Every structure is written in C-alpha cells, then in structure tokens.
Amino acid sequence: MSGAAATPARRRRLRPSFAIGTVKVRAGSRREVSLPISRLVTGAEVSLPVHVLHGREEGPTLWLDAAIHGDEVVGIEVIRRVMAVLDARSIRGTVLAVPIVNVLGVMSGDRYLPDRRDLNRSFPGSARGSLAGRIAHLMMQEVIGPSDVGIDLHTGADRRTNLPQIRCDLEDPRTRELAEAFGAPVAYHAKLRDGSLRHAARERGARVLLYEGGEAWRFDEWAIVAAVEGVLRVLVHLDMVDADQVDVTPPERPSELCWRSGWVRARRTGIVHMDVALGQEVTEGQKLGELFNSFGKRLAIVKADRPGLVIGRAEAPLVNRGDALVHIGEIERPVGTQE
C-alpha cells in the first residue's frame, strides 16, 4: 500500500469546534472566554469568565462552577488547580469551568448581588429579567445547556464551616454513582430547591453534584484538596481522563450516606464554647459545647439531639437564641460501627 493511500486511514477525525458565545473553540485546544453580563454605571463591562477545554476525542461535556455566592471562594481555587492539570490535547469530551459566577458579589465582597437577590434562587433565569435572572439565563444557555454533568462548588455560609460533602439526589442511580466516584467523606441526599442551579440543570437532563466544604472567605486547604481530588475522580470515572494523567487515587473509604440531618440550635443568647469538630461522630444526648454569659456563668449545655456525624458547625463565638450551632447528619450505618 502506498503512503498516499494509507494517510486517510491513519488520519484521526477531529471533533467539530465547540461554540460558546461568539467564539468557536477547536478540538484539542483551550480557550478563555468572557461572556458579557452587564455594564456598570461607569460603562465598564462585567463578564462571566469561562475556561473551555475541548478535547480531540468524543466524550461527555462536564461543567464546573464556583462562587455562585460571592463569599464562597474555596471553589475558585479548586477550579484553578483542576484546570492546571488538565490538557485539552488528551482529554475526551469537553470541560467548561466558571471560576466566578457571581462576579459582582465577589467584587463587592458580598454573598448576594447588588440587588440583594440570591443567585442560587434565580435559575433558570430570563434574558430580560433582573441582574440575577440574566446571569442565571446566561449560565443555562452557554454552560449548563450543552453539558451532561455538573459539579457546583460551595462552602458554608457566613461564619459557618462545612465538612467536605456532596449534596445530590441519592435516589437517582446515575447521580449516586457519580457521588460515590467523587469520594467525599459524606454523600447527603438533598431535595431539589426551586430556583437553584441544581434544580434547573436537572430539569434540562443534567446530573449535578453540589459540593460543600470549608468556610466563606477562607482558602481552607483541606476543603480545597478534597474537592480537587473529587473532581478529578469524577473525570476519571467518566473516562474523560486517565487516572495516571492526573495522579488521582481512590478515596481512603467510601462516602458515608446521609439521608436526614438537623441543626442543634442555641437555647440561650451567650458565648459558645464548642467541644466537637467537623467529622466527629456523636451520640444522642452527647455534650457538644457550653453557653456562657459575659460574666462567665454557664447558661446551658449544648447537646446532640440525634446520633450522627458533625457535617457543619458555627464558627462565631457570640450567638443569639435560636442560632444554628452544630449540623448533625444521620448516617446510614449505626454510629460507632465500621463498614
């Protein structure tokens, strides 16, 4: 066979370019795209930053997003580290990564948008709606719509910290499979909320994992590492990358499955001293901490109202009556036993 005749058989057929906004990203390449959102009063344009890695070979389309709430910065660093190890020339499929969704919230140091709307209650949004609605609509059209799987990165709210955990629909076999592949310490069955990114994406047919880990406005290294490793495991599970390409290892143990949870709340106003750490197993009635007044007199003992794992806790020492203190997740196995 002549060399000329053999060339077509050896030639690899490239995938079509990936269209996003007004840009087309060629197969086997990486592109940073800015999708226009709005203009400030000064006339400066505000844009949604999107990394696009479009592989040469066919595969799923997966999106990553972070900072839907402007104070949740852990996910920004997670995406930076994940994108640093991926190569568009070797991945199969396409990765879309949005490190900052709530651009204005991050710029102003606020969890919410300037109009005080919660972006994660504004999906699927509208092209002619509020600022939150327009950002949500842009995400749905350009990022979520073309995708098969998404990982939505979050942290605890203001002055709260969360144990690394995946929140998802554990009753859906495909989603549960992805959660198990991620390998967070806890996989929590969370109901869909109207207006959330996860709800709108599920309506479009995508499977979504919502990651929670760490505290607002902090780069908690343990939460960052857990998320980076989890994202890479999902990419390996989807056969988008090979395990040896990203140096990923299986989790030390399977995720604990959590179907119900509840917050233990302060019964008095005072200064709280916590005795439990994230990930600690507790039994019903166990002491979690104590409440004191400003003179140092003990006002109350904080006790667990159920057995389970501490999956979240308040970090602020000053609390008012009714404030959430410790989030306990009820796990599938009996507390104190090993699988």
Side-chain angles (χ1 to χ4, degrees):
M1 181 181 294
S2 68
T7 300
R10 292 199 302 265
R11 185 182 297 145
R12 177 178 294 174
R13 183 180 177 184
L14 288 178
R15 300 170 68 200
S17 296
F18 185 88
I20 180 168
T22 60
V23 175
K24 289 187 176 181
V25 183
R26 291 180 301 165
S29 64
R30 175 193 297 251
R31 188 80 176 265
E32 295 174 2
V33 180
S34 295
L35 302 176
I37 296 173
S38 182
R39 289 189 178 275
L40 300 176
V41 175
T42 61
E45 188 175 85
V46 179
S47 301
L48 188 73
V50 186
H51 294 274
V52 182
L53 270 72
H54 190 44
R56 289 174 174 168
E57 299 182 42
E58 293 292 339
T61 298
L62 175 142
W63 93 82
L64 306 170
D65 72 80
I68 277 187
H69 296 126
D71 57 354
E72 297 181 351
V73 297
V74 160
I76 300 174
E77 177 64 7
V78 171
I79 288 178
R80 186 190 72 81
R81 296 189 191 185
V82 169
M83 299 306 286
V85 301
L86 297 183
D87 187 343
R89 295 170 297 180
S90 60
I91 68 168
R92 294 174 285 275
T94 304
V95 175
L96 307 174
V98 187
I100 303 175
V101 181
N102 187 351
V103 178
L104 291 167
V106 171
M107 289 170 59
S108 62
D110 199 335
R111 179 177 179 83
Y112 302 114
L113 286 159
D115 60 4
R116 303 306 301 159
R117 291 179 187 268
D118 184 340
L119 182 52
N120 208 27
R121 295 294 178 268
S122 303
F123 284 85
S126 168
R128 297 178 180 275
S130 66
L131 179 58
R134 285 184 282 124
I135 295 174
H137 177 77
L138 185 63
M139 276 288 293
M140 293 298 298
Q141 293 298 113
E142 301 290 350
V143 177
I144 297 170
S147 300
D148 306 296
V149 174
I151 303 177
D152 184 21
L153 301 165
H154 290 260
T155 71
D158 183 35
R159 292 174 294 177
R160 291 183 190 173
T161 186
N162 284 331
L163 180 73
Q165 59 197 264
I166 286 294
R167 298 183 180 184
C168 64
D169 180 6
L170 290 176
E171 293 178 340
D172 176 63
R174 178 63 172 151
T175 304
R176 180 165 174 167
E177 184 181 296
L178 293 168
E180 290 171 350
F182 191 101
V186 171
Y188 175 51
H189 179 65
K191 294 181 180 179
L192 294 169
R193 290 190 176 186
D194 288 344
S196 68
L197 177 150
R198 191 164 69 95
H199 181 269
R202 193 67 189 90
E203 289 288 301
R204 293 280 185 96
R207 298 304 198 279
V208 188
L209 303 180
L210 188 153
Y211 174 79
E212 286 275 0
E215 185 180 354
W217 288 126
R218 293 186 185 277
F219 270 180
D220 292 308
E221 184 66 15
W222 47 270
I224 293 169
V225 169
V228 170
E229 292 178 348
V231 169
L232 295 177
R233 289 190 196 108
V234 171
L235 290 169
V236 170
H237 177 77
L238 292 171
D239 196 34
M240 297 179 71
V241 297
D242 297 324
D244 57 355
Q245 291 177 327
V246 293
D247 192 27
V248 67
T249 58
E252 293 183 3
R253 57 181 299 174
S255 302
E256 300 281 12
L257 300 183
C258 174
W259 296 89
R260 293 192 306 169
S261 70
W263 281 92
V264 175
R265 296 182 177 273
R267 294 189 290 114
R268 303 282 294 274
T269 295
I271 303 168
V272 67
H273 291 257
M274 292 290 193
D275 294 337
V276 290
L278 289 177
Q280 183 175 331
E281 293 189 0
V282 297
T283 56
E284 185 174 357
Q286 180 177 332
K287 178 185 172 186
L288 305 177
E290 297 176 296
L291 274 168
F292 296 86
N293 66 14
S294 57
F295 292 102
K297 179 182 178 181
R298 190 172 72 184
L299 302 175
I301 297 175
V302 181
K303 295 183 179 180
D305 62 354
R306 67 192 72 204
L309 283 180
V310 176
I311 61 174
R313 50 167 274 175
E315 296 298 331
L318 306 181
V319 299
N320 293 305
R321 183 175 181 178
D323 283 355
L325 299 179
V326 181
H327 193 190
I328 301 174
E330 299 179 33
I331 54 178
E332 197 167 76
R333 65 177 175 81
V335 171
T337 64
Q338 296 295 321
E339 293 183 343

